Amino acid sequence: MAAEIVNPRGDSATDSTTNSATDSAASGATSSATARAKGSATPATADAGSGADEPFDPAFALHRGGKMAISATVPVRDKDDLSLAYTPGVAKVCSAIAERPELVYDYTWKSQVVAVVTDGTAVLGLGDIGPEASLPVMEGKAILFKQFGGVDAVPLALATTDTDEIIETVVRLAPSFGGVNLEDIAAPRCFEIERRLQERLDIPVFHDDQHGTAVVTLAALRNAAKLTGRTLGELRAVISGAGAAGVAIAKFLLAAGLGDVAVADRKGIVSADRDDLTEVKRELAELTNRAGLSGSLEAALFGADVFIGVSGGTVPEPAIASMAPGAFVFAMANPHPEVHPDIAHRYAAVVATGRSDYPNQINNVLAFPGIFAGALQVRASRITESMKIAAANALADVVGDELAADYVIPSPFDERVAPAVTAAVAEAARAEGVARR
């Protein structure tokens, strides 16, 4: 599979691991994609579906025809090539796999391809827009897998929101893939879907909205604590948002040794004294809020060391001002952070957002390509907590001696990131006994 992505500097970068046959097959698609982005292809008025006098829109130009394509990795130039790539040669390989199923990893794409699966119910900040409308995002996810981890990925947008149907569909598709990345599936169904798929499949199943976000958050928090001379165990955090990301971040930070964390939803702090909690939130209430807080998000922020926003909305400035000295503000909602960085900097020692135009971007692309690359490299049967913690530690270590208030997490374009995360995840998988090679 060949894909191209254009980085913020305006120059393009393609995956360097593709062989010459793939490069040749992809060259036309790559050049046309670049031309579309620069406006030299089809007029944007047609792309946007608007009148001829509308201004050029590079987003529509770039997306025309899709952002990715399947490419062959071997040539089929003559009858000899054809007899090897297809019949009769392919029959030998099929028979060998039938006798020894594990050979599928050696003689097909399974060992290096991930399914990116969605039902289109929680897409970016757009919400429930359906499977067709989700495809541009899933394609984008696939090219990020390729660009940043060297992992091929196939977008699969499912025309169902039924939990059982999604699970059964993925189980039936699983023989074709080395891993499953669940994407943009609304909570609370996403928790059950991931859990049940992990129980039924012997390949990694990973809901990136949960765990990718959690891994990058932990990496940034570790470095922020290090910068200010503290440990995770000394910190009390408040998370705004009890959806997929909020729940996963809370559990993950506690597993990594965070002192305490309280999670707030629209009705306030998730606590055991509330009678309106879902099953997921009841479990969350048992694990979190050791301080026994109740009431509003703003009340919980008084004296808190860390704010983590994964909900949207706006947190009042007085609430941020009431946090402990040297606090950290990770306001990650896009495109509008819960706390504007200018306000956060008045009170916080470290500020991070989900945006690329501010320092310290908490971006999932720092995690999921390397995590899957490491898992696939050792043919892991699943992705464990230890593998995710190893990924977070490796990501934090990339910063190294350059650690500063405006640099607690590396850029997605730092070429050290994916190899570091990949190696750490592979090593952790072997140590935990879930690697098969």
Side-chain angles (χ1 to χ4, degrees):
M1 183 183 301
E4 186 206 34
I5 183 170
V6 178
N7 70 29
R9 295 189 303 273
D11 55 315
S12 62
T14 54
D15 176 65
S16 59
T17 63
T18 53
N19 62 26
S20 58
T22 305
D23 289 338
S24 176
S27 61
T30 298
S31 60
S32 63
T34 304
R36 290 197 303 271
K38 294 179 178 178
S40 61
T42 307
T45 53
D47 290 321
S50 54
D53 58 346
E54 291 294 321
F56 171 77
D57 189 328
F60 281 93
L62 179 67
H63 282 77
R64 176 165 286 282
K67 299 193 293 290
M68 56 183 290
I70 302 295
S71 297
T73 60
V74 297
V76 182
R77 299 161 297 196
D78 51 36
K79 66 182 182 65
D80 292 332
D81 288 344
L82 182 60
S83 69
L84 289 173
Y86 202 53
T87 187
V90 73
K92 297 179 182 179
V93 180
C94 293
S95 297
I97 294 171
E99 292 180 9
R100 294 176 54 198
E102 70 275 12
L103 292 179
V104 70
Y105 285 96
D106 293 310
Y107 295 108
T108 73
W109 76 351
K110 185 179 176 75
S111 64
Q112 58 193 25
V113 179
V114 170
V116 179
V117 179
T118 190
D119 63 0
T121 56
V123 181
L124 295 178
L126 304 173
D128 185 355
I129 60 175
E132 290 86 358
S134 76
L135 265 178
V137 176
M138 300 310 116
E139 287 184 0
K141 198 78 172 186
I143 65 174
L144 296 180
F145 264 110
K146 188 66 174 179
Q147 162 111 4
F148 293 104
V151 173
D152 290 325
V154 177
L156 298 173
L158 306 183
T160 179
T161 60
D162 181 86
T163 295
D164 290 335
E165 289 184 357
I166 292 172
I167 292 167
E168 292 303 322
T169 300
V170 175
V171 167
R172 283 160 174 73
L173 290 168
S176 295
F177 298 98
V180 175
N181 184 90
L182 300 173
E183 188 75 19
D184 293 348
I185 299 174
R189 290 179 303 108
C190 62
F191 303 114
E192 181 180 358
I193 290 169
E194 182 188 46
R195 175 181 58 79
R196 288 171 58 187
L197 284 173
Q198 288 172 337
E199 292 170 353
R200 293 185 61 178
L201 298 178
D202 65 347
I203 58 175
V205 178
F206 184 86
H207 186 204
D208 182 54
D209 300 319
Q210 294 184 60
H211 310 300
T213 308
V215 165
V216 183
T217 301
L218 174 59
L221 189 57
R222 278 197 184 283
N223 275 341
K226 179 180 179 181
L227 181 68
T228 56
R230 288 177 281 180
T231 66
L232 290 180
E234 298 175 68
L235 303 177
R236 178 173 73 85
V238 177
I239 298 175
S240 175
V247 170
I249 291 170
K251 291 181 177 180
F252 192 54
L253 292 183
L254 288 174
L258 187 72
D260 192 13
V261 59
V263 182
D265 62 12
R266 292 182 180 88
K267 297 182 179 180
I269 298 299
V270 175
S271 57
D273 60 354
R274 283 177 48 179
D275 58 6
D276 61 345
L277 300 180
T278 63
E279 181 179 348
V280 170
K281 291 181 182 179
R282 283 197 299 271
E283 178 189 1
L284 189 65
E286 294 174 359
L287 296 172
T288 62
N289 195 22
R290 295 165 184 165
L293 303 173
S294 60
S296 68
L297 168 73
E298 290 82 0
L301 281 172
F302 183 82
D305 303 292
V306 185
F307 168 75
I308 297 171
V310 284
S311 64
T314 301
V315 177
E317 182 174 350
I320 299 300
S322 75
M323 295 178 69
F328 313 141
V329 173
F330 293 1
M332 301 189 293
N334 271 318
H336 304 296
E338 294 88 348
V339 184
H340 192 280
D342 291 345
I343 294 175
H345 278 295
R346 297 172 188 170
Y347 311 102
V350 176
V351 176
T353 72
R355 292 176 49 149
S356 59
D357 53 347
Y358 290 102
N360 295 327
Q361 183 188 18
I362 307 293
N363 191 327
N364 290 9
V365 77
L366 288 162
F368 69 82
I371 290 174
F372 268 100
L376 292 174
Q377 184 180 97
V378 298
R379 299 178 186 174
S381 58
R382 63 184 185 274
I383 294 172
T384 66
E385 289 299 299
S386 294
M387 291 162 71
K388 291 184 287 184
I389 289 175
N393 291 343
L395 182 56
D397 288 345
V398 168
V399 172
D401 295 337
E402 301 171 73
L403 181 62
D406 62 353
Y407 186 54
V408 297
I409 198 77
S411 161
F413 293 97
D414 189 324
E415 294 181 355
R416 299 171 295 174
V417 168
V421 173
T422 299
V425 169
E427 181 179 355
R430 290 191 179 101
E432 198 159 2
V434 298
R436 288 177 283 204
R437 63 178 264 178

